[in-house]
Amino acid sequence: MHQEPGTAPLRAGGKLLAILGSPSSTSRSEALARGVTEALALHEPQWLRLRELPAQALLHADASAPALQAALASVHAASVVLVATPIYKAAYSGLLKTFLDLLPPDALRDKTVLPLATGGSAAHLLAVDYALKPVLAALGARDILDAIYATDAQLLRAADGSYRVDADIRARSERAAATVAQRLPVWRTATPRITVAEIAAQAEPALALRCPA
């Protein structure tokens, strides 16, 4: 990339976080998220794979666990959050629900959120509007972009384990990426940082309410 002498390098003006709620290591919902992020050349996403978080810490809402502290900090630091999940029986994944339950109130306020979901058929499409979006709104999200929902037939698995995205989903992903890019301007100043300890301290009151002694 060309850079004028004496200037700071171009940097993303905000952080892009992709929360992956599938318990599978070869998930269609992750492939869907990658379709969006690959169209954002100047913005390297951070990937938060919930299946890699310690199960006991998640189930017991243990905010002292370093992995959970880091996960909470990544949500706090993000400007745009992609929330990707498979749909099971008209509901988003239990793994995603467990993590969203740990987030402090207003955790998604002042952030842009893009819901991404996959399911066996179009019959599960309404689960995004009636199950997932209300939870995101309850966490403070006000800028919720139009969701992208893909069926299994629109994300066919190839012999090498990758997924082939059909033309309609690819076009919608590119449109979503263009909107996300508007929320992530490029500038020459660094983004503010907050420590993991500060995030954990903010989360503790909410966790205590959910897990009374």
Side-chain angles (χ1 to χ4, degrees):
M1 178 181 299
H2 175 70
Q3 180 180 327
E4 294 297 330
T7 62
L10 288 173
R11 303 184 60 169
K15 293 186 178 180
L16 174 63
L17 174 68
I19 300 176
L20 305 178
S22 174
S24 171
S25 60
T26 56
S27 69
R28 284 181 169 83
S29 54
E30 180 168 347
L32 186 59
R34 286 194 177 280
V36 176
T37 61
E38 287 173 0
L40 294 164
L42 286 177
H43 303 278
E44 181 66 26
Q46 179 180 359
W47 298 93
L48 176 54
R49 295 176 175 84
L50 301 184
R51 66 178 179 275
E52 296 176 355
L53 295 177
Q56 288 299 314
L58 267 177
L59 292 174
H60 294 286
D62 182 5
S64 67
L68 283 192
Q69 289 184 7
L72 292 170
S74 68
V75 174
H76 180 90
S79 299
V80 174
V81 181
L82 311 185
V83 180
T85 179
I87 300 296
Y88 300 117
K89 297 181 179 178
Y92 56 94
S93 74
L95 181 59
L96 178 59
K97 182 183 187 308
T98 301
F99 180 72
L100 294 180
D101 284 347
L102 300 182
L103 294 178
D106 289 343
L108 298 179
R109 187 169 297 279
D110 300 324
K111 304 180 191 299
T112 295
V113 181
L114 173 61
L116 304 168
T118 58
S121 70
H124 299 292
L125 172 61
L126 292 179
V128 179
D129 289 330
Y130 291 102
L132 181 56
K133 282 187 176 181
V135 175
L136 301 177
L139 289 169
R142 297 297 178 265
D143 186 20
I144 303 177
L145 304 182
D146 290 341
I148 301 176
Y149 178 87
T151 65
D152 289 355
Q154 292 173 308
L155 285 168
L156 293 176
R157 191 169 184 177
D160 62 0
S162 63
Y163 288 98
R164 296 175 181 172
V165 182
D166 81 352
D168 177 62
I169 296 300
R170 185 178 299 108
R172 292 171 61 192
S173 296
E174 290 173 354
R175 289 196 298 269
T179 302
V180 167
Q182 295 173 2
R183 310 302 204 273
L184 290 169
V186 176
W187 57 30
R188 285 190 169 89
T189 56
T191 53
R193 294 184 178 180
I194 187 168
T195 66
V196 169
E198 289 172 326
I199 298 301
Q202 292 178 13
E204 283 176 359
L207 294 178
L209 289 174
R210 293 187 176 94
C211 302

